[in-house]
């Protein structure tokens, strides 16, 4: 016996649960190639715990991955510091490392270049981003804010 199916069938979605509107996670990772994957894993895990929508989790893990990868590739840090903050209707993703950080808006990569689009993705997915120099003068933090959407009553 076969069960008829439809390409229009959609899974039943549960009603939206309220997103945790206050929270912070910070962690430090060694400056090694596998750190971007670990940062993505922790980002998704935390945003799942905070009940953030799937699109926000997907975008935040991509932003975290790009920022960690840039820190690994463009600084001589021995570590990267990662932070997620959920406050109001915004999730902030931030990555800290040694080195000067980006020196202005991202330049578009050429058609044939295999890299150079990371910050452009961050700009496209965020409602704002920036670079903050560390108070010690050594190092910086690159941050991006993602729209969490309206609060669910």
């Amino acid at each position: 016996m076969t069960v008829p199916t439809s390409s229009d069938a959609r899974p039943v979605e549960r009603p939206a649960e309220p997103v945790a509107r206050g929270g912070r996670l910070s962690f430090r990772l060694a400056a090694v190639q596998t750190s971007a994957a670990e940062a993505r894993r922790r980002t998704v895990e935390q945003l799942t715990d905070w009940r953030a929508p799937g699109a926000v989790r997907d975008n935040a893990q991509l932003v975290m991955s790009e920022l960690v990868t840039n820190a690994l590739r463009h600084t001589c840090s021995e570590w990267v510091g990662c932070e997620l903050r959920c406050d109001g209707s915004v999730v902030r993703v931030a990555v800290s490392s040694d080195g000067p950080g980006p020196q202005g808006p991202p330049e578009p990569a050429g058609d044939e270049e295999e890299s150079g689009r990371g910050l452009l993705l961050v700009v496209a997915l965020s409602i704002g981003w920036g670079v903050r120099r560390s108070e010690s003068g050594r190092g910086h933090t690159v941050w991006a804010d993602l729209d969490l959407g309206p609060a669910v009553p």
Side-chain angles (χ1 to χ4, degrees):
M1 175 177 169
T2 60
V3 177
T5 61
S6 167
S7 61
D8 293 328
R10 301 283 183 253
V12 175
E13 293 186 20
R14 296 183 323 167
E17 296 180 33
V19 175
R21 294 295 172 159
R24 180 176 178 267
L25 170 72
S26 77
F27 52 94
R28 225 173 156 170
L29 300 170
V32 296
Q33 189 173 3
T34 57
S35 290
E38 178 62 14
R40 282 191 306 272
R41 185 191 69 72
R42 291 186 188 195
T43 297
V44 169
E45 184 176 274
Q46 185 62 60
L47 290 174
T48 299
D49 286 350
W50 287 340
R51 297 180 305 280
V56 173
R57 290 193 308 263
D58 293 345
N59 291 344
Q61 78 168 326
L62 179 56
V63 167
M64 179 68 81
S65 183
E66 291 298 335
L67 296 182
V68 169
T69 298
N70 284 349
L72 297 173
R73 184 172 289 163
H74 301 294
T75 71
C76 54
S77 298
E78 294 180 12
W79 56 268
V80 291
C82 302
E83 182 179 45
L84 282 174
R85 229 179 319 146
C86 182
D87 189 19
S89 61
V90 173
V91 171
R92 175 161 286 183
V93 177
V95 174
S96 302
S97 63
D98 291 337
Q103 302 298 312
E107 296 290 325
D111 290 342
E112 300 300 317
E113 293 180 61
E114 291 184 17
S115 64
R117 293 168 184 81
L119 278 180
L120 293 173
L121 285 171
V122 171
V123 169
L125 295 174
S126 67
I127 57 175
W129 76 283
V131 180
R132 183 177 65 242
R133 305 279 175 231
S134 70
E135 292 179 12
S136 70
R138 179 179 174 175
H140 68 283
T141 300
V142 181
W143 57 268
D145 289 341
L146 287 80
D147 185 12
L148 190 54
V152 178

